[in-house]
């Protein structure tokens, strides 16, 4: 038997893989529910794994039978089974709570809830599906003007459930693409920058009175292209001194207030918009490690977001603050391109990039390259470099990453 509790993980993609990589040196066993060749299983061999899909209730039950506590790498899962397992006589705790997962997997409900708690979110309104959809979208256009964002309530990732409605001419296309799913409309946010704050949340929701602790990571800037995150900058570019401190404090405070409203332990990502008048709006949250936190592996090695996920779930000690070991960090996502080896020049260039005070770290996930699929990432760190200097050192890599998408 393993000496420490077995963590059962629903989903074994790259987030699961990096969780397993963080778990191995800590001797924390992870049982993964996914296909046999899933990225997480490629780096973690044990006898507790379950082969199959996290979309099947029977497989989740089988995983629970092999585990002491359950967690997820994806929020699009059947929360009824998790609720049943977490509340059974012989309960298997689920972290973060199934309540959090159920709330956030519906982006419309998630933001209604945050708004009801007085948190700043973009205005949104429900859109009817079926025959009422056109009128409903026209009402959204009348209230918000063009463009507005039409979003699927559920199962969205990498912007796959988003449709930018730029003019009345787009309404027909929006209707034919999104007519069959439950949608909502969101006011367009003319943000000057997208930010993200990861937050560690520890709490024992079975033991009343236990102190809840919210620990934010430094704020990062995220850059999306075609709705997919392509670059992450720490600290955000173009801010320094007082102004950086002010925006950071504001973003971390909002992020902690948001995560305070949820349930269970773990790490959470809070995606934010920064507006021209220095307001922060919450876009959405992810109840798990997140693309915007990958650079913590090298920037905050003593408590990466993956180690934090394990630490929070297992209720182990956390530091008082999360201070980076480097002055700057930049993450570049490696996406699949039009051909199976379109990304290779980027990897070769990354492996040949050396400079004093610069760290370059390639992470490939063992996934087949498909167009726009996240198959790896590269993190660059600057021991003393500013984020502008680090970006300049990465210019060739950023250029090569762009060519993959063309
Ligand atoms: P994720 O992979 O982060 O889960 P998702 O499919 O849930 O993505 P969103 O986070 O809703 O999609 O949106 C993706 C991106 O689209 C945002 O990061 C932002 O760049 C842009 N976007 C979303 N909503 C708006 C809005 N209301 N106004 C302007 N841009 C928006
Ligand atoms: Mg999302
Ligand atoms: Mg998002």
């Amino acid at each position: 038997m393993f000496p420490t509790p077995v963590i059962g993980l629903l989903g074994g993609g790259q987030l699961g893989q990096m969780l397993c990589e963080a778990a191995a040196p800590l001797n924390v066993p992870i049982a993964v529910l996914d296909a046999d060749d899933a990225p997480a299983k490629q780096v973690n061999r044990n006898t507790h794994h379950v082969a199959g899909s996290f979309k099947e209730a029977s497989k989740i039950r089988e995983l629970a039978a092999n585990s002491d506590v359950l967690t997820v790498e994806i929020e699009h899962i059947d929360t009824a089974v998790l609720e049943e397992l977490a509340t059974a006589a012989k309960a298997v705790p689920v972290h973060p709570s199934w309540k959090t997962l159920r709330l956030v997997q519906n982006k419309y409900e998630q933001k209604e809830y945050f708004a009801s708690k007085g948190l700043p979110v973009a205005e949104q309104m429900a859109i009817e599906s079926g025959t009422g959809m056109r009128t409903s979208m026209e009402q959204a256009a009348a209230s918000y003007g063009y463009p507005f964002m039409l979003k699927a309530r559920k199962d969205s990732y990498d912007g796959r459930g988003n449709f930018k409605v730029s003019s009345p001419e787009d309404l027909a296309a929006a209707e034919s693409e999104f007519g069959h799913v439950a949608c909502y409309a969101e006011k367009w946010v003319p943000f000057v920058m997208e930010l993200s704050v990861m937050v560690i949340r520890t709490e024992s929701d079975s033991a009343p009175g236990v102190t809840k602790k919210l620990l934010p990571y430094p704020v990062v800037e995220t850059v999306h292209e075609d709705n997919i995150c392509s670059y992450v900058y720490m600290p955000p570019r173009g801010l320094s001194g007082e102004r950086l401190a002010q925006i950071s404090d504001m973003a971390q405070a909002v992020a902690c207030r948001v995560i305070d409203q949820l349930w269970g332990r773990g790490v959470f990502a809070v995606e934010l918009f920064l507006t021209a008048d220095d307001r922060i709006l919450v876009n959405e949250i992810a109840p798990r490690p997140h693309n915007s936190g990958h650079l913590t592996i090298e920037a905050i090695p003593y408590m990466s977001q993956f180690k934090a996920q394990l630490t929070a779930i297992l209720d182990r000690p956390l530091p008082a603050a999360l201070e980076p070991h480097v002055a700057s960090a930049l993450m570049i996502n490696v996406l699949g391109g039009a051909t199976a080896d379109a990304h290779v020049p980027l990897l070769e260039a990354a492996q040949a990039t050396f400079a004093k005070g610069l760290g370059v770290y390639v992470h490939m996930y063992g996934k087949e390259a498909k167009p726009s699929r996240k198959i790896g990432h590269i993190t660059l760190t600057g021991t003393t470099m500013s984020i502008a200097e680090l970006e300049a050192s990465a210019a060739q890599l950023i250029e090569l990453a762009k060519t993959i998408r063309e």
Side-chain angles (χ1 to χ4, degrees):
M1 263 318 270
F2 285 109
T4 44
V6 178
I7 297 180
L9 174 66
L10 281 81
Q14 67 265 27
L15 299 176
Q17 182 180 67
M18 289 183 270
L19 193 73
C20 289
E21 284 165 353
L26 301 174
N27 207 18
V28 173
I30 299 195
V32 177
L33 166 55
D34 208 329
D36 278 336
D37 61 348
K41 289 190 183 175
Q42 293 174 25
V43 300
N44 178 24
R45 243 173 79 128
N46 68 50
T47 54
H48 296 276
H49 291 324
V50 176
S53 165
F54 54 79
K55 297 201 186 308
E56 273 179 67
S58 63
K59 294 290 177 184
I60 299 180
R61 289 195 190 95
E62 201 179 321
L63 181 74
N66 291 1
S67 311
D68 299 299
V69 53
L70 291 178
T71 192
V72 299
E73 67 144 22
I74 182 166
E75 53 276 22
H76 308 300
I77 34 149
D78 179 355
T79 53
V81 191
L82 294 182
E83 177 181 1
E84 167 203 304
L85 290 165
T87 54
K90 277 192 167 175
V92 182
V94 179
H95 286 291
S97 164
W98 54 271
K99 274 170 39 181
T100 295
L101 299 168
R102 186 173 296 168
L103 174 72
V104 307
Q105 65 183 209
N106 184 322
K107 293 207 288 189
Y108 176 75
E109 297 298 340
Q110 176 193 145
K111 296 228 302 308
E112 287 294 293
Y113 175 74
F114 292 151
S116 78
K117 299 290 178 188
L119 292 157
V121 291
E123 279 179 64
Q124 60 176 11
M125 70 166 79
I127 293 290
E128 276 181 46
S129 44
T131 49
M133 188 175 180
R134 180 63 72 99
T135 320
S136 193
M137 284 195 294
E138 283 164 357
Q139 281 162 359
S143 303
Y144 300 156
Y146 290 102
F148 67 87
M149 195 69 114
L150 183 70
K151 290 191 179 184
R153 294 185 185 210
K154 285 188 148 189
D155 296 326
S156 177
Y157 69 99
D158 290 346
R160 278 161 218 240
N162 287 1
F163 192 110
K164 180 180 179 182
V165 186
S166 299
S167 70
E169 283 78 66
D170 287 345
L171 292 174
E175 204 174 345
S176 71
E177 261 192 55
F178 280 62
H180 56 287
V181 291
C183 290
Y184 69 102
E186 220 174 84
K187 191 169 175 171
W188 191 259
V189 181
F191 55 81
V192 290
M193 203 187 276
E194 284 190 86
L195 302 173
S196 173
V197 177
M198 301 295 308
V199 178
I200 310 175
R201 180 186 159 112
T202 58
E203 177 199 34
S204 189
D205 39 20
S206 56
V210 169
T211 330
K212 186 164 47 189
K213 185 169 174 189
L214 298 166
L215 191 58
Y217 280 90
V219 63
V220 297
E221 173 191 355
T222 57
V223 175
H224 292 78
E225 288 167 332
D226 301 329
N227 282 290
I228 304 179
C229 174
S230 30
Y231 309 104
V232 177
Y233 295 85
M234 185 198 80
R237 292 168 301 171
L239 305 173
S240 57
E242 270 296 291
R243 193 162 148 67
L244 173 61
Q246 186 201 349
I247 304 278
S248 292
D249 288 352
M250 216 161 62
Q252 287 182 324
V254 170
C256 287
R257 277 171 58 209
V258 170
I259 300 310
D260 197 23
Q261 299 299 335
L262 300 175
W263 305 273
R265 305 195 295 265
V267 290
F268 299 77
V270 185
E271 298 179 10
L272 303 163
F273 297 127
L274 177 67
T275 63
D277 56 351
D278 272 2
R279 282 184 313 132
I280 299 262
L281 296 177
V282 178
N283 172 25
E284 62 166 345
I285 77 114
R288 51 170 168 77
H290 187 255
N291 205 165
S292 67
H294 290 355
L295 50 69
T296 60
I297 296 174
E298 288 86 10
I300 308 181
Y302 57 92
M303 194 48 75
S304 74
Q305 64 164 349
F306 299 102
K307 187 170 171 196
Q309 176 76 351
L310 303 168
T311 306
I313 293 171
L314 298 174
D315 226 357
R316 289 180 174 176
L318 280 163
L322 299 165
E323 285 158 3
H325 276 183
V326 290
S328 57
L330 161 56
M331 191 231 48
I332 302 173
N333 266 341
V334 180
L335 302 182
T339 58
D341 55 3
H343 59 282
V344 173
L346 171 60
L347 298 184
E348 284 173 352
Q351 277 151 19
T353 303
F354 298 102
K356 194 162 181 286
L358 177 75
V360 183
Y361 306 90
V362 174
H363 296 252
M364 291 303 288
Y365 307 146
K367 285 163 75 170
E368 194 193 332
K370 291 186 188 160
S372 297
R373 189 182 203 198
K374 290 174 183 168
I375 55 170
H377 75 266
I378 300 163
T379 296
L380 292 98
T381 58
T383 315
T384 55
M385 276 182 231
S386 69
I387 190 66
E389 288 165 336
L390 185 64
E391 188 181 25
S393 307
Q396 189 207 357
L397 303 185
I398 292 172
E399 207 40 54
L400 283 167
K402 283 199 200 305
T403 18
I404 298 177
R405 283 191 299 277
E406 279 159 8

